[in-house]
Amino acid sequence: MADIDASAGAVAGEGTRVAGDPGNGSRLVPPDAPPAYHRLLERLGQVSDLRATTSLLHWDEEVNMPPGGAAARAEQKATLSRLAHQAFTAPEVGEWLDELAPWAAQLDPESDAAALLRVTRREYDRSRRVPPDLVAELARASSQGYQAWVEARAQRRFAPFAPALARLIELRRQMADALGYAEERYDALLEEHEPGMRTRQVRELFARLKAGLLPLVQAIAERQDRVRDDFLRGDFPEADQWALTLEALRAIGFDFRRGRQDRSIHPFTAGLSPGDVRLTTRVDPTVFGPALFSSLHEGGHGLYEQGLPTAWQRTPLADGASSAVHESQSRLWENVIGRSREFWIFFFPKVQARFPHQLAGVDAEAMYRAVNRSRPSLIRVDADEVTYNLHIMLRFELELALLDGDLPVDELPAAWREKTRAYLGLEPADDGEGVLQDIHWSWGGFGYFPSYALGNLIALQLWEAALRDEPALPEQIARGDLGGVLRWMRAHVHRHGARYEPLELVRRATGSELGEEAFLRYVRRKYGELYGL
Amino acid sequence: MADIDASAGAVAGEGTRVAGDPGNGSRLVPPDAPPAYHRLLERLGQVSDLRATTSLLHWDEEVNMPPGGAAARAEQKATLSRLAHQAFTAPEVGEWLDELAPWAAQLDPESDAAALLRVTRREYDRSRRVPPDLVAELARASSQGYQAWVEARAQRRFAPFAPALARLIELRRQMADALGYAEERYDALLEEHEPGMRTRQVRELFARLKAGLLPLVQAIAERQDRVRDDFLRGDFPEADQWALTLEALRAIGFDFRRGRQDRSIHPFTAGLSPGDVRLTTRVDPTVFGPALFSSLHEGGHGLYEQGLPTAWQRTPLADGASSAVHESQSRLWENVIGRSREFWIFFFPKVQARFPHQLAGVDAEAMYRAVNRSRPSLIRVDADEVTYNLHIMLRFELELALLDGDLPVDELPAAWREKTRAYLGLEPADDGEGVLQDIHWSWGGFGYFPSYALGNLIALQLWEAALRDEPALPEQIARGDLGGVLRWMRAHVHRHGARYEPLELVRRATGSELGEEAFLRYVRRKYGELYGL
């Protein structure tokens, strides 16, 4: 739901290790590493420092910066991004990579050094294909697009945003063509978030997922009276909710010696290093739930960042495998764990102790049911587990059509309405609660939406695999012991950092290909029971 | 007292302007500026962004960073400092400056462009004279020195620190020789903080100041019973003290839309830009006073930073004139204003409203007397207005003798004790409350101490000049209207940024040369009255 700002390279933290964190076993620098390898590592370290600092500039802007700092901050971020890009794409980096190719060829492909060179080569080649003029033009168009979007949103009318969006689509097409692609244009944009994945795969996966979801959504919509959640609205003072988010984060294993949580308008996670991971959330004192689940969501991102191998610090390996894999971790803790019956057996007494009057007469089971109430809604970020992926598919289909030129920009609002009707059975009153609701397109951010849904699928595949290995996990959760879940994720996901492409990571961690079945099994069982289907 | 971390270049803020802030009148870019001038400005902007970001890294480390972030933060700071240094000292910068010299020669010397080129040339030439290897060696020696100092302090014995200090002195000598100097070695280090000032001038000034202070200190020491301050110790809850620091900062005109205040172990100010100025302070709930005066001190630094011309953003002109001039602003608000009778007529009711029981029976006059109690003490940072400068002179004389080789390192503790006896009539029980009390020498920071005392002198010269222009200022202060003081400082100090060297700034702002007379007049009158001398 929230953005993850974890592109920063990572540096050793000094926190505790959960078994399975491999950090120390890593051999990033083989004894016979040539000088060019050392030079490359030094440069990657600088780039990582610049990126981590850029993350801090962003975090600080959202959390601390006084309004008067805005103009200077924009300059600072631009300068640091430019320097990081220059340092990474400098010709000597390519020369070092070329020089190292024969040496790399005789390394064990499973070795850390081989993985580092592979990932660096991929990122370097991609970065070098980006024409600097196009980057500058996109930056301008993004900024104009954002302003036009803000204006359009204020009017709740798409028209004022249309020309800027058309321009952004055109520039993104040019970018895709400059980057190159194997099968279709969208591949080039998808590659930025999901290395090695193809649009075709996403399209096929989503088709099967949609076919599975639509009947379920419809069945639930017809039985809305089965689950009540009215007691979640009321007077839930901010300080108590905040304290509960901290309790929940501690319970899932977030290490506050290597991280912190603050307030911001839009929740996000900034992973400055595995030793310095910053979550943000927001609290609405009139409703219980959103703050806690937002904390668990960001906490999931944060656990991934804290679990990246310390030995890979300041290299591109100390990063998540992809946006979808990152989302799998946030959605796992937010939904699969945080909205499980077992979690509420453990956690409900803590909540009730803080809100004895507000939750009088409510028990753990009632709470479990309430936080899982499902109903089609117009706004993606408010959507429940069942309907959420439909919001994503709608966006994926539309941005694909826009990019391919199959959908003219001025027909976008109508197409949005039509798909909203078809998938969710709802009709947006205006563009504000329709096509203008997300910020992503305002800066030309095409290619990211699929990662949200893919993350949901991966979360359930990982969870099924973890349960096969450790059938006692649910029982442990009900007792408040969430360490087993974290240990499994550390061992099968976190410890690999960016070593594997996402499809390969899923294969290795779960023994099967990325697919929709685990997710569909999960929602059918869980919501079938909740809604008596 | 606290360090000012305001080296960052400055960028436009959007806050209110006090009359006298010239920002917009500035013409930094003349219509006929050659391309090299534009290139230079662009580079200076990048350097400024990197320095401001380094300030943020430092601020964040003290205020927010979880312990696990320390290792990564050290790398980030090192990388950004190195990049800023490289960008500023790159050969092309010298070429641009050379190319611009004929054009600069025909500019009005009072013009902004001429001032910018003058300041940039001075800093560039100085930076280029620093041998990179020596910088690296000093960085290592500083780090080792700091560790040895921490260890020695724990033992309260100088000996474990001695070898590291000897090494630092040797390296600083080499640095001074590399930088060059007009009259004596110490000049080269002094120049870093007080451009254009000579050791000879400081020595002469301090000799006269000392001659004036010693009899006064002795007379006060004999009349300790004249001023009581026992009611300042007690139960002063942190939240109330914190609220009072904010009230005081608002009263002096600190703009919270362009700044903030946070807690840190050592108070400091980070000026990221005139629109983003961050103060820190600390609160001891067992005593009233230190937190408030520390806030006023940092607030004085902060007002200077917020008052730097916005039109000079991202250039070396958007900086304080020198460390001493910066200290003049902090000491002005902390002492000359904050410890004035008029301030307490205005502010005491606010304090008493928060602490009615603790301050029962106390009135504004008693409070004024209490916060001005003077008595010789061993620790510089606890010293009052009268004795403070003696602590500085002692350090100046000793570091001068160390650098010149007149004082062997192992004789330093004895020399310290002897001077402490001579100037303050006290005997340190051990090196912990003697020669090891300050952090500065632990990293080889010689040449900075004089700025503290010079700042005290400048503060009083400025205050006398302000009073000549605006005799009603004290009356305004007593009414809680501190805007007149700020307006005068904006017009005569802040608006000039780093345009003038400190001696020139003092001359222009006060009509007289830097001297000790104003300060001596001030302490004689104020403390003469307080102690019935």
PDB file of all heavy atoms in Angstrom, chain A residues 11 49 53 60 64 66 68-69 72 75 79 257 260 275-276 278, chain B residues 11 49 53 60 64 66 68-69 72 75 79 257 260 275-276 278 314:
ATOM      1  N   VAL A  11      24.396  -0.997   4.967  1.00  0.00           N
ATOM      2  CA  VAL A  11      25.626  -1.056   5.732  1.00  0.00           C
ATOM      3  C   VAL A  11      25.360  -1.811   7.024  1.00  0.00           C
ATOM      4  O   VAL A  11      24.253  -1.835   7.529  1.00  0.00           O
ATOM      5  CB  VAL A  11      26.112   0.377   6.037  1.00  0.00           C
ATOM      6  CG1 VAL A  11      27.469   0.353   6.700  1.00  0.00           C
ATOM      7  CG2 VAL A  11      26.170   1.185   4.758  1.00  0.00           C
ATOM      8  N   ASP A  49      26.192   5.026  -0.373  1.00  0.00           N
ATOM      9  CA  ASP A  49      26.142   6.117   0.609  1.00  0.00           C
ATOM     10  C   ASP A  49      25.265   7.258   0.088  1.00  0.00           C
ATOM     11  O   ASP A  49      24.475   7.832   0.833  1.00  0.00           O
ATOM     12  CB  ASP A  49      27.547   6.652   0.893  1.00  0.00           C
ATOM     13  CG  ASP A  49      28.406   5.658   1.663  1.00  0.00           C
ATOM     14  OD1 ASP A  49      27.835   4.817   2.377  1.00  0.00           O
ATOM     15  OD2 ASP A  49      29.644   5.726   1.550  1.00  0.00           O
ATOM     16  N   THR A  53      21.725   8.384   1.707  1.00  0.00           N
ATOM     17  CA  THR A  53      21.560   9.770   2.146  1.00  0.00           C
ATOM     18  C   THR A  53      20.357  10.410   1.470  1.00  0.00           C
ATOM     19  O   THR A  53      19.621  11.191   2.086  1.00  0.00           O
ATOM     20  CB  THR A  53      22.841  10.565   1.867  1.00  0.00           C
ATOM     21  OG1 THR A  53      23.943   9.907   2.506  1.00  0.00           O
ATOM     22  CG2 THR A  53      22.731  11.970   2.405  1.00  0.00           C
ATOM     23  N   ASP A  60      13.418  12.625   6.111  1.00  0.00           N
ATOM     24  CA  ASP A  60      13.430  13.847   6.916  1.00  0.00           C
ATOM     25  C   ASP A  60      12.387  14.842   6.409  1.00  0.00           C
ATOM     26  O   ASP A  60      11.721  15.517   7.200  1.00  0.00           O
ATOM     27  CB  ASP A  60      14.828  14.461   6.856  1.00  0.00           C
ATOM     28  CG  ASP A  60      14.924  15.748   7.653  1.00  0.00           C
ATOM     29  OD1 ASP A  60      15.066  15.665   8.880  1.00  0.00           O
ATOM     30  OD2 ASP A  60      14.848  16.835   7.041  1.00  0.00           O
ATOM     31  N   ASN A  64      10.317  15.499   9.508  1.00  0.00           N
ATOM     32  CA  ASN A  64      10.854  16.573  10.342  1.00  0.00           C
ATOM     33  C   ASN A  64      10.920  17.948   9.710  1.00  0.00           C
ATOM     34  O   ASN A  64      10.904  18.950  10.416  1.00  0.00           O
ATOM     35  CB  ASN A  64      12.305  16.246  10.734  1.00  0.00           C
ATOM     36  CG  ASN A  64      12.402  15.075  11.671  1.00  0.00           C
ATOM     37  OD1 ASN A  64      11.684  15.012  12.656  1.00  0.00           O
ATOM     38  ND2 ASN A  64      13.265  14.137  11.362  1.00  0.00           N
ATOM     39  N   PRO A  66      10.922  21.575   8.434  1.00  0.00           N
ATOM     40  CA  PRO A  66       9.975  22.692   8.487  1.00  0.00           C
ATOM     41  C   PRO A  66       9.630  23.131   7.063  1.00  0.00           C
ATOM     42  O   PRO A  66      10.426  22.914   6.137  1.00  0.00           O
ATOM     43  CB  PRO A  66      10.756  23.784   9.224  1.00  0.00           C
ATOM     44  CG  PRO A  66      12.193  23.442   9.034  1.00  0.00           C
ATOM     45  CD  PRO A  66      12.258  21.940   8.888  1.00  0.00           C
ATOM     46  N   GLY A  68       9.743  25.805   5.481  1.00  0.00           N
ATOM     47  CA  GLY A  68      10.711  26.685   4.821  1.00  0.00           C
ATOM     48  C   GLY A  68      11.870  25.961   4.171  1.00  0.00           C
ATOM     49  O   GLY A  68      12.624  26.549   3.386  1.00  0.00           O
ATOM     50  N   GLY A  69      12.031  24.672   4.470  1.00  0.00           N
ATOM     51  CA  GLY A  69      13.157  23.940   3.914  1.00  0.00           C
ATOM     52  C   GLY A  69      12.897  23.326   2.547  1.00  0.00           C
ATOM     53  O   GLY A  69      13.801  22.738   1.943  1.00  0.00           O
ATOM     54  N   ALA A  72      15.204  24.290  -0.660  1.00  0.00           N
ATOM     55  CA  ALA A  72      16.563  23.778  -0.526  1.00  0.00           C
ATOM     56  C   ALA A  72      16.581  22.255  -0.626  1.00  0.00           C
ATOM     57  O   ALA A  72      17.489  21.673  -1.228  1.00  0.00           O
ATOM     58  CB  ALA A  72      17.164  24.225   0.806  1.00  0.00           C
ATOM     59  N   GLU A  75      16.639  20.954  -4.151  1.00  0.00           N
ATOM     60  CA  GLU A  75      17.982  21.064  -4.752  1.00  0.00           C
ATOM     61  C   GLU A  75      18.902  19.965  -4.231  1.00  0.00           C
ATOM     62  O   GLU A  75      19.666  19.353  -4.971  1.00  0.00           O
ATOM     63  CB  GLU A  75      18.615  22.418  -4.405  1.00  0.00           C
ATOM     64  CG  GLU A  75      17.854  23.629  -4.883  1.00  0.00           C
ATOM     65  CD  GLU A  75      18.148  23.967  -6.335  1.00  0.00           C
ATOM     66  OE1 GLU A  75      18.873  23.204  -6.996  1.00  0.00           O
ATOM     67  OE2 GLU A  75      17.641  25.003  -6.807  1.00  0.00           O
ATOM     68  N   THR A  79      20.706  17.148  -6.506  1.00  0.00           N
ATOM     69  CA  THR A  79      22.168  17.050  -6.581  1.00  0.00           C
ATOM     70  C   THR A  79      22.637  15.648  -6.200  1.00  0.00           C
ATOM     71  O   THR A  79      23.467  15.047  -6.888  1.00  0.00           O
ATOM     72  CB  THR A  79      22.819  18.099  -5.660  1.00  0.00           C
ATOM     73  OG1 THR A  79      22.583  19.393  -6.215  1.00  0.00           O
ATOM     74  CG2 THR A  79      24.319  17.877  -5.536  1.00  0.00           C
ATOM     75  N   ARG A 257      16.609  -1.042  18.168  1.00  0.00           N
ATOM     76  CA  ARG A 257      17.986  -0.528  18.221  1.00  0.00           C
ATOM     77  C   ARG A 257      18.513  -0.326  16.804  1.00  0.00           C
ATOM     78  O   ARG A 257      19.537   0.279  16.579  1.00  0.00           O
ATOM     79  CB  ARG A 257      18.899  -1.511  18.974  1.00  0.00           C
ATOM     80  CG  ARG A 257      18.703  -1.461  20.486  1.00  0.00           C
ATOM     81  CD  ARG A 257      19.341  -2.657  21.115  1.00  0.00           C
ATOM     82  NE  ARG A 257      18.810  -3.872  20.477  1.00  0.00           N
ATOM     83  CZ  ARG A 257      19.370  -5.075  20.546  1.00  0.00           C
ATOM     84  NH1 ARG A 257      20.498  -5.235  21.208  1.00  0.00           N
ATOM     85  NH2 ARG A 257      18.813  -6.119  19.951  1.00  0.00           N
ATOM     86  N   ARG A 260      13.321   2.742  13.839  1.00  0.00           N
ATOM     87  CA  ARG A 260      12.413   3.572  14.607  1.00  0.00           C
ATOM     88  C   ARG A 260      11.102   3.718  13.847  1.00  0.00           C
ATOM     89  O   ARG A 260      11.009   3.354  12.675  1.00  0.00           O
ATOM     90  CB  ARG A 260      13.028   4.927  14.920  1.00  0.00           C
ATOM     91  CG  ARG A 260      13.634   5.640  13.715  1.00  0.00           C
ATOM     92  CD  ARG A 260      14.307   6.950  14.121  1.00  0.00           C
ATOM     93  NE  ARG A 260      13.307   7.921  14.494  1.00  0.00           N
ATOM     94  CZ  ARG A 260      13.404   8.716  15.559  1.00  0.00           C
ATOM     95  NH1 ARG A 260      14.463   8.652  16.329  1.00  0.00           N
ATOM     96  NH2 ARG A 260      12.453   9.573  15.841  1.00  0.00           N
ATOM     97  N   GLY A 275      21.038  -1.555   9.699  1.00  0.00           N
ATOM     98  CA  GLY A 275      21.102  -1.083  11.079  1.00  0.00           C
ATOM     99  C   GLY A 275      20.283   0.169  11.332  1.00  0.00           C
ATOM    100  O   GLY A 275      20.277   0.684  12.453  1.00  0.00           O
ATOM    101  N   ASP A 276      19.604   0.677  10.308  1.00  0.00           N
ATOM    102  CA  ASP A 276      18.883   1.942  10.463  1.00  0.00           C
ATOM    103  C   ASP A 276      17.688   1.950   9.516  1.00  0.00           C
ATOM    104  O   ASP A 276      17.766   2.454   8.401  1.00  0.00           O
ATOM    105  CB  ASP A 276      19.834   3.105  10.169  1.00  0.00           C
ATOM    106  CG  ASP A 276      19.231   4.464  10.535  1.00  0.00           C
ATOM    107  OD1 ASP A 276      18.032   4.510  10.875  1.00  0.00           O
ATOM    108  OD2 ASP A 276      19.970   5.463  10.475  1.00  0.00           O
ATOM    109  N   ARG A 278      13.679   2.871   9.010  1.00  0.00           N
ATOM    110  CA  ARG A 278      12.710   3.802   9.574  1.00  0.00           C
ATOM    111  C   ARG A 278      11.325   3.616   8.969  1.00  0.00           C
ATOM    112  O   ARG A 278      11.145   3.720   7.768  1.00  0.00           O
ATOM    113  CB  ARG A 278      13.211   5.220   9.357  1.00  0.00           C
ATOM    114  CG  ARG A 278      14.623   5.356   9.938  1.00  0.00           C
ATOM    115  CD  ARG A 278      15.130   6.740   9.918  1.00  0.00           C
ATOM    116  NE  ARG A 278      16.475   6.766  10.492  1.00  0.00           N
ATOM    117  CZ  ARG A 278      17.126   7.867  10.804  1.00  0.00           C
ATOM    118  NH1 ARG A 278      16.544   9.031  10.610  1.00  0.00           N
ATOM    119  NH2 ARG A 278      18.342   7.798  11.304  1.00  0.00           N
TER     120      ARG A 278
ATOM    121  N   VAL B  11      20.112  28.020   1.123  1.00  0.00           N
ATOM    122  CA  VAL B  11      19.139  28.057   0.045  1.00  0.00           C
ATOM    123  C   VAL B  11      17.908  28.811   0.529  1.00  0.00           C
ATOM    124  O   VAL B  11      17.608  28.821   1.713  1.00  0.00           O
ATOM    125  CB  VAL B  11      18.761  26.616  -0.362  1.00  0.00           C
ATOM    126  CG1 VAL B  11      17.861  26.627  -1.573  1.00  0.00           C
ATOM    127  CG2 VAL B  11      20.012  25.824  -0.658  1.00  0.00           C
ATOM    128  N   ASP B  49      24.895  21.969  -1.527  1.00  0.00           N
ATOM    129  CA  ASP B  49      23.943  20.875  -1.290  1.00  0.00           C
ATOM    130  C   ASP B  49      24.604  19.736  -0.519  1.00  0.00           C
ATOM    131  O   ASP B  49      24.015  19.161   0.399  1.00  0.00           O
ATOM    132  CB  ASP B  49      23.397  20.337  -2.617  1.00  0.00           C
ATOM    133  CG  ASP B  49      22.489  21.334  -3.320  1.00  0.00           C
ATOM    134  OD1 ASP B  49      21.900  22.188  -2.642  1.00  0.00           O
ATOM    135  OD2 ASP B  49      22.387  21.258  -4.563  1.00  0.00           O
ATOM    136  N   THR B  53      23.648  18.626   3.258  1.00  0.00           N
ATOM    137  CA  THR B  53      23.244  17.244   3.505  1.00  0.00           C
ATOM    138  C   THR B  53      24.130  16.605   4.570  1.00  0.00           C
ATOM    139  O   THR B  53      23.656  15.827   5.403  1.00  0.00           O
ATOM    140  CB  THR B  53      23.290  16.445   2.190  1.00  0.00           C
ATOM    141  OG1 THR B  53      22.472  17.111   1.231  1.00  0.00           O
ATOM    142  CG2 THR B  53      22.774  15.042   2.398  1.00  0.00           C
ATOM    143  N   ASP B  60      20.860  14.429  12.252  1.00  0.00           N
ATOM    144  CA  ASP B  60      20.061  13.213  12.399  1.00  0.00           C
ATOM    145  C   ASP B  60      20.743  12.216  13.344  1.00  0.00           C
ATOM    146  O   ASP B  60      20.088  11.553  14.135  1.00  0.00           O
ATOM    147  CB  ASP B  60      19.840  12.589  11.017  1.00  0.00           C
ATOM    148  CG  ASP B  60      19.048  11.300  11.084  1.00  0.00           C
ATOM    149  OD1 ASP B  60      17.813  11.379  11.185  1.00  0.00           O
ATOM    150  OD2 ASP B  60      19.664  10.210  11.059  1.00  0.00           O
ATOM    151  N   ASN B  64      18.084  11.575  15.955  1.00  0.00           N
ATOM    152  CA  ASN B  64      17.162  10.496  15.588  1.00  0.00           C
ATOM    153  C   ASN B  64      17.757   9.115  15.416  1.00  0.00           C
ATOM    154  O   ASN B  64      17.065   8.126  15.575  1.00  0.00           O
ATOM    155  CB  ASN B  64      16.503  10.826  14.232  1.00  0.00           C
ATOM    156  CG  ASN B  64      15.565  12.000  14.312  1.00  0.00           C
ATOM    157  OD1 ASN B  64      14.746  12.073  15.202  1.00  0.00           O
ATOM    158  ND2 ASN B  64      15.715  12.924  13.384  1.00  0.00           N
ATOM    159  N   PRO B  66      18.997   5.484  15.210  1.00  0.00           N
ATOM    160  CA  PRO B  66      19.120   4.370  16.156  1.00  0.00           C
ATOM    161  C   PRO B  66      20.586   3.923  16.226  1.00  0.00           C
ATOM    162  O   PRO B  66      21.337   4.129  15.276  1.00  0.00           O
ATOM    163  CB  PRO B  66      18.243   3.280  15.541  1.00  0.00           C
ATOM    164  CG  PRO B  66      18.159   3.607  14.085  1.00  0.00           C
ATOM    165  CD  PRO B  66      18.286   5.100  13.983  1.00  0.00           C
ATOM    166  N   GLY B  68      22.107   1.239  15.833  1.00  0.00           N
ATOM    167  CA  GLY B  68      22.568   0.355  14.755  1.00  0.00           C
ATOM    168  C   GLY B  68      22.994   1.088  13.497  1.00  0.00           C
ATOM    169  O   GLY B  68      23.616   0.498  12.614  1.00  0.00           O
ATOM    170  N   GLY B  69      22.666   2.365  13.383  1.00  0.00           N
ATOM    171  CA  GLY B  69      23.010   3.102  12.175  1.00  0.00           C
ATOM    172  C   GLY B  69      24.405   3.704  12.172  1.00  0.00           C
ATOM    173  O   GLY B  69      24.829   4.286  11.166  1.00  0.00           O
ATOM    174  N   ALA B  72      27.138   2.726   9.308  1.00  0.00           N
ATOM    175  CA  ALA B  72      26.754   3.238   7.993  1.00  0.00           C
ATOM    176  C   ALA B  72      26.844   4.757   7.959  1.00  0.00           C
ATOM    177  O   ALA B  72      27.273   5.347   6.956  1.00  0.00           O
ATOM    178  CB  ALA B  72      25.330   2.791   7.655  1.00  0.00           C
ATOM    179  N   GLU B  75      30.302   6.061   7.245  1.00  0.00           N
ATOM    180  CA  GLU B  75      30.644   5.943   5.816  1.00  0.00           C
ATOM    181  C   GLU B  75      29.960   7.037   5.006  1.00  0.00           C
ATOM    182  O   GLU B  75      30.548   7.645   4.112  1.00  0.00           O
ATOM    183  CB  GLU B  75      30.191   4.584   5.263  1.00  0.00           C
ATOM    184  CG  GLU B  75      30.792   3.373   5.931  1.00  0.00           C
ATOM    185  CD  GLU B  75      32.168   3.030   5.379  1.00  0.00           C
ATOM    186  OE1 GLU B  75      32.688   3.803   4.551  1.00  0.00           O
ATOM    187  OE2 GLU B  75      32.718   1.994   5.801  1.00  0.00           O
ATOM    188  N   THR B  79      31.887   9.824   2.795  1.00  0.00           N
ATOM    189  CA  THR B  79      31.688   9.927   1.339  1.00  0.00           C
ATOM    190  C   THR B  79      31.225  11.324   0.943  1.00  0.00           C
ATOM    191  O   THR B  79      31.762  11.925   0.000  1.00  0.00           O
ATOM    192  CB  THR B  79      30.655   8.872   0.875  1.00  0.00           C
ATOM    193  OG1 THR B  79      31.241   7.573   0.997  1.00  0.00           O
ATOM    194  CG2 THR B  79      30.257   9.092  -0.575  1.00  0.00           C
ATOM    195  N   ARG B 257       8.465  28.143  11.287  1.00  0.00           N
ATOM    196  CA  ARG B 257       8.162  27.621   9.949  1.00  0.00           C
ATOM    197  C   ARG B 257       9.440  27.416   9.163  1.00  0.00           C
ATOM    198  O   ARG B 257       9.455  26.804   8.099  1.00  0.00           O
ATOM    199  CB  ARG B 257       7.255  28.598   9.194  1.00  0.00           C
ATOM    200  CG  ARG B 257       5.797  28.557   9.655  1.00  0.00           C
ATOM    201  CD  ARG B 257       5.057  29.756   9.130  1.00  0.00           C
ATOM    202  NE  ARG B 257       5.778  30.973   9.530  1.00  0.00           N
ATOM    203  CZ  ARG B 257       5.631  32.170   8.989  1.00  0.00           C
ATOM    204  NH1 ARG B 257       4.780  32.330   8.002  1.00  0.00           N
ATOM    205  NH2 ARG B 257       6.313  33.207   9.427  1.00  0.00           N
ATOM    206  N   ARG B 260      13.312  24.342  13.742  1.00  0.00           N
ATOM    207  CA  ARG B 260      12.725  23.518  14.782  1.00  0.00           C
ATOM    208  C   ARG B 260      13.717  23.374  15.921  1.00  0.00           C
ATOM    209  O   ARG B 260      14.880  23.736  15.785  1.00  0.00           O
ATOM    210  CB  ARG B 260      12.304  22.149  14.244  1.00  0.00           C
ATOM    211  CG  ARG B 260      13.354  21.442  13.417  1.00  0.00           C
ATOM    212  CD  ARG B 260      12.819  20.146  12.834  1.00  0.00           C
ATOM    213  NE  ARG B 260      12.663  19.159  13.876  1.00  0.00           N
ATOM    214  CZ  ARG B 260      11.612  18.360  14.004  1.00  0.00           C
ATOM    215  NH1 ARG B 260      10.649  18.405  13.114  1.00  0.00           N
ATOM    216  NH2 ARG B 260      11.529  17.489  14.996  1.00  0.00           N
ATOM    217  N   GLY B 275      15.970  28.608   5.354  1.00  0.00           N
ATOM    218  CA  GLY B 275      14.602  28.152   5.561  1.00  0.00           C
ATOM    219  C   GLY B 275      14.499  26.904   6.413  1.00  0.00           C
ATOM    220  O   GLY B 275      13.401  26.386   6.625  1.00  0.00           O
ATOM    221  N   ASP B 276      15.626  26.382   6.890  1.00  0.00           N
ATOM    222  CA  ASP B 276      15.608  25.115   7.635  1.00  0.00           C
ATOM    223  C   ASP B 276      16.761  25.113   8.627  1.00  0.00           C
ATOM    224  O   ASP B 276      17.843  24.612   8.352  1.00  0.00           O
ATOM    225  CB  ASP B 276      15.717  23.942   6.660  1.00  0.00           C
ATOM    226  CG  ASP B 276      15.470  22.587   7.327  1.00  0.00           C
ATOM    227  OD1 ASP B 276      15.358  22.547   8.569  1.00  0.00           O
ATOM    228  OD2 ASP B 276      15.400  21.573   6.603  1.00  0.00           O
ATOM    229  N   ARG B 278      17.999  24.206  12.486  1.00  0.00           N
ATOM    230  CA  ARG B 278      17.622  23.280  13.549  1.00  0.00           C
ATOM    231  C   ARG B 278      18.473  23.477  14.789  1.00  0.00           C
ATOM    232  O   ARG B 278      19.681  23.373  14.739  1.00  0.00           O
ATOM    233  CB  ARG B 278      17.736  21.858  13.019  1.00  0.00           C
ATOM    234  CG  ARG B 278      16.891  21.714  11.749  1.00  0.00           C
ATOM    235  CD  ARG B 278      16.836  20.320  11.245  1.00  0.00           C
ATOM    236  NE  ARG B 278      16.030  20.287  10.035  1.00  0.00           N
ATOM    237  CZ  ARG B 278      15.588  19.172   9.478  1.00  0.00           C
ATOM    238  NH1 ARG B 278      15.872  18.010  10.030  1.00  0.00           N
ATOM    239  NH2 ARG B 278      14.857  19.216   8.372  1.00  0.00           N
ATOM    240  N   ARG B 314      22.903  28.892  -1.672  1.00  0.00           N
ATOM    241  CA  ARG B 314      23.784  27.919  -2.331  1.00  0.00           C
ATOM    242  C   ARG B 314      25.084  28.550  -2.824  1.00  0.00           C
ATOM    243  O   ARG B 314      25.661  28.098  -3.805  1.00  0.00           O
ATOM    244  CB  ARG B 314      23.054  27.202  -3.478  1.00  0.00           C
ATOM    245  CG  ARG B 314      21.819  26.433  -2.976  1.00  0.00           C
ATOM    246  CD  ARG B 314      21.026  25.819  -4.109  1.00  0.00           C
ATOM    247  NE  ARG B 314      21.605  24.592  -4.612  1.00  0.00           N
ATOM    248  CZ  ARG B 314      21.803  24.342  -5.898  1.00  0.00           C
ATOM    249  NH1 ARG B 314      21.493  25.255  -6.803  1.00  0.00           N
ATOM    250  NH2 ARG B 314      22.309  23.199  -6.284  1.00  0.00           N
TER     251      ARG B 314
END
